[in-house]
Amino acid sequence: EISVFLFDQDMRYIIVDGSPLRKAGYDPSEMVGKRLHEAVPPKNFTTMHGYYSRVLQGETFVFERRNEQLKSIYRNYATPIKNDNDEIIAGLIVSQEVTEHERLQESVKQSEARFAGIVHLAADAVISINEAQEITLFNRAAELMFGYT
């Protein structure tokens, strides 16, 4: 799910759209024509103003934001828009909800950590070999059994 924010040099929204905005309680059509300070909550203004300023100064970058109320994570891709004379005329931020992706990554990390702990503490030798017949896993018990320390 993505949201798109196109804004001019005055940080006035030209185009705003996306289902994550509606899910967060915003009506994208009501944001069009408003300046940043009129459209975002005061608690978010300083941070967002910094991002928008960087874009309008010519920087392309990625940043993450969290919506604690919705427990959502958004990865934002920011870039300036230039005219034929290479002058910055607007900024574009595309926001992608990555909440589920981040949760899955954290779950994988936890599973890997549990697996590593179990293998490390196992009293039995644990050895794994890949398709090329290379040893990819050799736990402490295997080291002791085969005389490697």
Side-chain angles (χ1 to χ4, degrees), residues 1-3 18-21 23 74 95-98:
E1 293 186 49
I2 64 167
S3 295
S19 59
L21 278 170
K23 190 163 79 171
Y74 300 92
S95 180
Q96 178 183 19
E97 185 176 0
V98 294

Side-chain angles (χ1 to χ4, degrees), residues 35-100:
R35 294 184 62 193
L36 178 65
H37 72 275
E38 299 169 315
V40 301
K43 67 179 183 172
N44 297 337
F45 175 75
T46 302
T47 302
M48 296 307 294
H49 186 270
Y51 294 139
Y52 282 50
S53 294
R54 288 171 59 188
V55 170
L56 293 173
Q57 291 169 9
E59 192 175 343
T60 296
F61 58 98
V62 178
F63 63 97
E64 284 195 359
R65 298 270 302 153
R66 294 179 180 271
N67 181 321
E68 297 302 331
Q69 181 181 0
L70 296 175
K71 299 187 183 334
S72 298
I73 304 168
Y74 300 92
R75 184 163 298 127
N76 300 275
Y77 305 87
T79 191
I81 304 295
K82 298 179 179 181
N83 64 15
D84 292 340
N85 297 324
D86 207 33
E87 300 165 327
I88 297 169
I89 58 169
L92 175 69
I93 295 178
V94 177
S95 180
Q96 178 183 19
E97 185 176 0
V98 294
T99 310
E100 190 60 27

